[in-house]
Structure formats: structure tokens, C-alpha cells
Amino acid sequence: MPSQTPQPAFVLVRPQMGENIGAAARAMWNFGLDRMRIVAPRDGWPNPKAVAMASGAGRLLDEARLSPDVSDALADCSFVFATTARQRGLTKPVFSPEAAMKLAAEKITAGEKVAVMFGPERAGLENEDIAKANAIISVPVNPAYGSLNLGQCVLLTAYEWQRQVGEIEHETVDMGKASWATGVEIEKLSEHYEERLEQAGFFFPPDKATNMKVNLRNLWSRMALTNADVQMLHGVMRQMVRWKQRGED
Amino acid sequence: MPSQTPQPAFVLVRPQMGENIGAAARAMWNFGLDRMRIVAPRDGWPNPKAVAMASGAGRLLDEARLSPDVSDALADCSFVFATTARQRGLTKPVFSPEAAMKLAAEKITAGEKVAVMFGPERAGLENEDIAKANAIISVPVNPAYGSLNLGQCVLLTAYEWQRQVGEIEHETVDMGKASWATGVEIEKLSEHYEERLEQAGFFFPPDKATNMKVNLRNLWSRMALTNADVQMLHGVMRQMVRWKQRGED
């Protein structure tokens, strides 16, 4: 069963290589998309090479809706994007993958059925197919090169869908087993260093001592230490004290 | 010669399959990146399978800097990202590809040398490698699946680099040979239709006529017509008039 998550359908139009159909399924499922439609695949259907390549995303192939032509595949869709690698001389809005998936998300939220067409590997979509779309998606590749294959184009579009709808945290910290040091721990660390450095004659001359202590405390609190870091810094100071106490050698 | 464009270096750490090294080169060059570094490739270097796969981006392989270990590869870099598929229990900031490439662009603009490490296909980077990085990049894939290969990970990161620095137009219109109709053209179209529809008795009953005319004018101006569209609409009306003038048959 396809997921209930609202999402665009990805329509592979006359795909040629089974491997690429499988790669497209993997690319989609990596980003939580599982509604594939396939129009007139060159090598028939089902395709064992697609299944082999789809490892883990084979369900998308089993559930894919097969259509004899583009019109049939798009029959229930109210807004359709066509992906193209080059300008086609058709008067139609052209979106980046980002802007397209943003619009798709808005339309889907509003209850529309949205589809994205991907053309056959060799030549891409025919102008006749593109004429059935409301808008074009063009990936802004290096103008001097431009060599995205079907799976890569599906991957980038699916990624942008996920970016638009996902609960993506842009920056987090992988803490492992550590946790941030608490205020008390930082305070105790400051005191420990201050006490020992005082003994060691670090805060000199006396009229600068207060300022030096403030700067040191400030350093600890600015560093975003974990409790493990704090323990290690305590250990450093204890070791220096032990070394001192052992006397010169 | 690598391009002069400021950019991060992409460092492939102990890559296994030549095909994947070639695919990474293609992915990079699709988004204008051409500084590849390779650490201890499993099958030696140069690698004919990498060259075969890189079609059109082979220059990146010729110019790639080969290093025996990660430290050598990163020697000149002031900020390093490590890409990982799973949490590693190391206390380190974790960025989405988007946030990471934004930060990379800022640092590179400020004159820093930035690198991004990609691990070997089977198991990804070792914790020892990751410990040499300042931050982690994690692609937010479907938690129930997660099956990005090396080339795909390079592709998404390169795409995000391009998104951050590129002059990407998010929405444009591919106009072909057409251009938008001018106000005068829309005005003449309105007049043409209004005149003929008046003759045809369209504006009926008379007390609704003004409102009907306003709605019709509003329709034309709302439609974002090209001059070709306008010509076609003129033709439509002219044809209806001709058909009328030929008399019933």
C-alpha cells in the first residue's frame, strides 16, 4: 500500500533502462515518496532489472501505476510539472526544483493532485508531452556540462520535496553520550583553576588579578563545554598539581 | 587546470569502486565544482573504470590530488565537513547539506579553505576520520530507508553548493519566440471582441451590458497573454465573423 502522506506522483515517461527505473524508485523512497507512475516503458513491465536495482524500494515498482500514454497517466492531476534539461521554446513558467516543490506543496495542501513528469533517458520529454504540463522544472546545472541522468534528476526533485515539507533541522549537535556542562559544573571548574593558579602565582601583578580572573571565567563559560570536557580539564589541572607536588625531577 | 572559482574541495576517502569515483566527478562538474581529492583509493590510481564513468568530467580525475591519508589530504584546509549517514556519538555540530554549504560559502568568501569528506561506499567514514572534521553533514533521508550511494551524496552536496552561490533564478518563463502582449495590444483585442460581440447581441440584457464588458476586459488583462496569443484570439473572432458573413449553410 502506498503511504497516506500527501505527495506528488512522479511519472516516468517511456523510460528505457530497467536499472534507471529501479534507481528512480530508490531515489524517491530515500525522501519518503512512494507514488510512481510509468508510461509505456520500453522493455515492458514488470522489469527484472528495475526490481534488482530498487533494492529495498521494490514496493514502489509493485504499486506503480502503468499507463499506455501520458494523458492516461495524468488523467486525475490538476497541476503537472515537466522536467527538462534544455529550453524548449514553449511559453511556460520555468521553476527551479526548489521553487517547483514549494509550489507543489502549496497546491497539495490546498487539495490539488500534482504530478512531475520525467522523460526518457536519451532525449528527455517530447514537446508534445511538455505541452500537457502547466510548468517546467529545470535543474540549474553547469551550462558548460549538464549531464544529469534520470535517477539523478528524480533524486534532486525528491530531495527538494523533502526539503519543502520535511521537519528538517538545519543544524543540530550530535552529542553522543555527552551532555552540556551545567552552570554549577562550569563554576566548580572556574574555582578549581582559580584556586590552583592563585597558589601558582598566575594572577600577577595584583592590580591585574581581578581582570584576569574575570577573563578566565568568561573563557570557560564561552566554550560550550560538555561534562566530559569539564572532567578532562579538572584532570589536567590535578595532574599539573600532582607533578608539582612530586617535586622537581 | 582547475577553475579559479572559489569552492570547497571534495575529498573521497578510500573510495572502492572506480565507477563511483567517476560518478562523483560527473556530479561535481554538473554543479561547477572541479577540485577533487582522493585518499588511498582501493583499486589504485589512475583507475580506468573511473575514467570511463566520468565521461566529460575526466579532467577532474586527471587533476585530482592523491593523498595517502586523510591528514595529508586536509593539510591546507581550515574548515572540514564530514558526510555521514548515521549518528556517530561524537560531539560535533551536524548540518543539513543546505546549511553546510551556506556556511562553506561564508567561510570561503572570508578566505578560508574548506573541504568536504565523503567516506567509502560500504561503511562510510571511520570515526577517526570524522574526528578530523569541524562539523558533520547529514542528508535528511527517510528514516525508514536511507540508501544514498557515494555519487548521490556528492550530487546533493554539490547541488546545494550551487544553490548557495549560484545566480539561480527560481522562476522564469521560457518565452520561446514570443513576448508578452503590450497594453495597447490587449486594449485592441478588447475593443475587437467588444465591437463584434456587441453586433452579435452578446451584451444582453442592456442593464447588464456595462458589467459584462468590464468582466471581459478584465479577463484579457488577467490572462498574461503573449502577442502570439493575442493574434490567435483576433483570428478566432475574425473567423467567427467570416463564418457568420458567409451566411447559413
Side-chain angles (χ1 to χ4, degrees):
Chain A
M1 283 274 293
S3 70
Q4 290 305 304
T5 320
Q7 58 180 279
F10 277 21
V11 184
L12 308 190
V13 178
R14 300 181 299 277
Q16 301 177 318
M17 311 263 289
E19 291 85 341
N20 291 332
I21 304 172
R26 286 174 72 161
M28 287 175 65
W29 190 228
N30 261 304
F31 295 108
L33 292 168
D34 61 355
R35 305 214 188 132
M36 180 183 270
R37 297 180 182 188
I38 303 176
V39 176
R42 185 190 65 186
D43 299 338
W45 198 255
N47 182 321
K49 286 182 180 169
V51 174
M53 188 67 177
S55 63
R59 175 176 68 79
L60 276 70
L61 303 179
D62 300 338
E63 295 167 357
R65 197 171 103 181
L66 196 66
S67 286
D69 55 45
V70 167
S71 298
D72 182 78
L74 302 177
D76 61 338
C77 298
S78 60
F79 198 91
V80 177
F81 291 100
T83 55
T84 68
R86 50 202 164 79
Q87 302 278 310
R88 299 305 188 96
L90 295 166
T91 303
K92 222 173 265 292
V94 180
F95 291 83
S96 68
E98 179 184 20
M101 291 301 99
K102 187 163 185 294
L103 181 60
E106 288 164 9
K107 287 186 174 291
I108 288 168
T109 302
E112 289 202 52
K113 281 217 168 193
V114 175
V116 183
M117 284 193 284
F118 299 86
E121 292 91 328
R122 191 170 301 271
L125 292 167
E126 302 285 338
N127 277 359
E128 193 189 341
D129 306 320
I130 297 173
K132 297 193 172 75
N134 301 83
I136 286 173
I137 301 177
S138 183
V139 180
V141 291
N142 183 352
Y145 186 52
S147 161
L148 287 182
N149 68 26
L150 175 59
Q152 291 171 325
C153 191
V154 169
L155 183 77
L156 291 175
T157 310
Y159 168 78
E160 280 292 2
W161 169 259
Q162 166 63 28
R163 278 215 325 123
Q164 297 308 317
V165 301
E167 301 276 319
I168 295 177
E169 295 184 63
H170 290 293
E171 184 181 349
T172 56
V173 172
D174 179 356
M175 293 295 287
K177 289 182 189 125
S179 58
W180 297 121
T182 63
V184 172
E185 286 168 329
I186 297 293
E187 180 64 26
K188 291 205 162 144
L189 181 68
S190 295
E191 285 170 7
H192 181 190
Y193 270 68
E194 205 171 291
E195 183 192 332
R196 292 306 193 176
L197 290 169
E198 186 90 70
Q199 284 183 283
F202 177 76
F203 301 110
F204 185 88
D207 63 319
K208 299 230 168 127
T210 307
N211 213 24
M212 289 172 82
K213 287 175 190 173
V214 169
N215 287 344
L216 186 66
R217 284 179 175 257
N218 197 33
L219 176 75
W220 302 130
S221 42
R222 209 182 54 222
M223 277 176 76
L225 300 170
T226 64
N227 46 18
D229 297 330
V230 167
Q231 287 316 310
M232 196 183 58
L233 289 166
H234 276 298
V236 165
M237 179 51 85
R238 276 196 294 267
Q239 188 57 34
M240 295 307 289
V241 171
R242 275 199 287 270
W243 177 69
K244 157 78 177 82
Q245 288 172 342
R246 279 208 309 270
E248 320 329 288
D249 58 12
Chain B
M1 283 273 294
S3 70
Q4 291 303 303
T5 320
Q7 59 179 275
F10 276 21
V11 184
L12 308 190
V13 178
R14 300 182 300 277
Q16 302 178 318
M17 311 264 290
E19 291 85 342
N20 291 332
I21 303 172
R26 287 174 70 161
M28 287 175 65
W29 191 227
N30 260 305
F31 295 107
L33 292 168
D34 61 355
R35 304 212 189 132
M36 181 183 269
R37 297 180 182 188
I38 303 176
V39 176
R42 185 190 65 186
D43 298 338
W45 197 254
N47 181 323
K49 286 182 180 169
V51 174
M53 187 68 177
S55 63
R59 175 176 68 78
L60 276 69
L61 303 178
D62 300 338
E63 295 167 359
R65 195 170 106 183
L66 197 65
S67 286
D69 55 45
V70 167
S71 298
D72 182 79
L74 301 177
D76 61 338
C77 297
S78 60
F79 198 93
V80 177
F81 290 100
T83 54
T84 69
R86 51 205 162 79
Q87 301 279 311
R88 299 304 190 98
L90 296 166
T91 303
K92 221 173 266 293
V94 180
F95 291 84
S96 67
E98 178 184 22
M101 291 302 98
K102 186 163 188 292
L103 181 60
E106 287 165 9
K107 288 186 174 289
I108 288 168
T109 302
E112 289 202 52
K113 282 218 166 192
V114 174
V116 183
M117 285 193 283
F118 297 87
E121 292 90 327
R122 191 169 300 271
L125 292 166
E126 301 285 336
N127 276 0
E128 193 189 341
D129 306 319
I130 298 173
K132 298 193 172 76
N134 300 82
I136 286 172
I137 300 177
S138 183
V139 180
V141 290
N142 182 353
Y145 186 51
S147 161
L148 288 181
N149 67 26
L150 175 59
Q152 291 171 325
C153 191
V154 169
L155 182 78
L156 290 175
T157 311
Y159 167 78
E160 280 291 1
W161 169 258
Q162 166 62 28
R163 279 215 323 124
Q164 297 307 316
V165 301
E167 303 276 320
I168 295 176
E169 294 183 62
H170 289 293
E171 183 181 351
T172 56
V173 172
D174 179 356
M175 292 295 286
K177 288 181 190 130
S179 59
W180 295 122
T182 63
V184 172
E185 286 167 330
I186 297 293
E187 180 64 26
K188 292 206 164 146
L189 181 69
S190 296
E191 284 170 8
H192 181 190
Y193 270 67
E194 206 170 292
E195 184 192 333
R196 292 304 193 179
L197 290 170
E198 187 90 70
Q199 286 185 278
F202 176 76
F203 301 111
F204 186 86
D207 63 316
K208 297 231 168 124
T210 307
N211 212 24
M212 289 172 83
K213 287 177 189 173
V214 169
N215 287 344
L216 186 65
R217 284 179 175 255
N218 198 31
L219 175 76
W220 303 128
S221 42
R222 210 181 54 222
M223 278 177 76
L225 300 171
T226 65
N227 47 17
D229 297 331
V230 167
Q231 286 316 311
M232 197 183 60
L233 289 166
H234 277 299
V236 164
M237 180 51 87
R238 275 195 294 267
Q239 189 56 34
M240 296 307 289
V241 171
R242 273 198 288 270
W243 177 68
K244 154 82 175 85
Q245 288 171 342
R246 276 208 310 270
E248 315 333 289
D249 59 14

